[in-house]
Amino acid sequence: MQAMIASLFSGTSKEVVTFFLAMIPAIELKASIPIAILRFNLSPQVAFMCSVLGSLLMGVLIFVLFRFLFKTLLNKMKFINKAQENRYGKKYKIGEGMLIIFLIAVPLPGFGSFLGAIVASLLQTKINRMMIYLVCGNFLAGGIVLAAIMGLKL
């Protein structure tokens, strides 16, 4: 597997490889930052930015895809659509944002941009709010991972 990935990216810059590693669901930026710093010897700033940008791009793509799928399903099932119409106002939006940011920022396997984007599409979050949540969550997750790596490197 490792040889296959290495042959796929042979001749590609380390920054681009880091960007694409952050787009893989199992890896995301939680593993792409350590790989970029410890394996590729990239600076922490470059590793952070490449990883965050890759994770952001994939999070947006997943959000748009799942939002389309869920809207299509909701249009087919009218009884679920009626239950979704009941919104709770400002408190709901604050809780929604905190939940999505938390799901993105937790540096554990299974959490990240993908889970946050899927939950946001289930909650029918607007795209502009989702972008804010995605950026905040990714910067938090990247900061946590970067702090852990820099602590290990000292």
Side-chain angles (χ1 to χ4, degrees):
M1 177 77 171
Q2 198 174 26
M4 185 177 82
I5 292 173
S7 68
L8 245 145
F9 290 114
S10 63
T12 310
S13 72
K14 295 174 182 178
E15 293 85 2
V16 173
V17 174
T18 303
F19 178 82
F20 283 113
L21 282 175
M23 294 176 74
I24 299 172
I27 296 175
E28 282 202 13
L29 88 153
K30 292 155 184 91
S32 67
I33 290 175
I35 291 170
I37 293 173
L38 300 174
R39 177 87 177 194
F40 298 155
N41 295 322
L42 290 177
S43 70
Q45 296 86 0
V46 172
F48 179 83
M49 288 312 294
C50 291
S51 296
V52 166
L53 289 174
S55 185
L56 284 174
L57 177 64
M58 193 48 109
V60 170
L61 293 174
I62 292 294
F63 175 73
V64 170
L65 173 71
F66 275 86
R67 187 172 179 184
F68 172 76
L69 291 174
F70 290 139
K71 278 192 175 192
T72 305
L73 284 174
L74 287 177
N75 288 336
K76 301 279 185 204
M77 296 182 234
K78 300 292 183 194
F79 64 93
I80 295 176
N81 200 9
K82 293 241 186 247
Q84 285 288 329
E85 290 175 6
N86 189 9
R87 295 296 235 186
Y88 298 101
K90 191 174 184 176
K91 288 182 182 178
Y92 177 83
K93 290 177 186 173
I94 291 171
E96 172 188 77
M98 289 173 45
L99 172 69
I100 294 169
I101 290 171
F102 175 78
L103 291 174
I104 295 169
V106 172
L108 292 173
F111 288 83
S113 296
F114 295 93
L115 181 62
I118 291 170
V119 169
S121 59
L122 276 172
L123 296 174
Q124 298 179 353
T125 305
K126 293 184 178 174
I127 188 93
N128 58 352
R129 282 196 316 227
M130 175 53 191
M131 286 300 297
I132 293 170
Y133 303 153
L134 197 60
V135 169
C136 291
N138 275 308
F139 270 89
L140 279 170
I144 292 168
V145 171
L146 195 59
I149 292 301
M150 295 313 290
L152 290 175
K153 232 181 159 183
L154 296 176

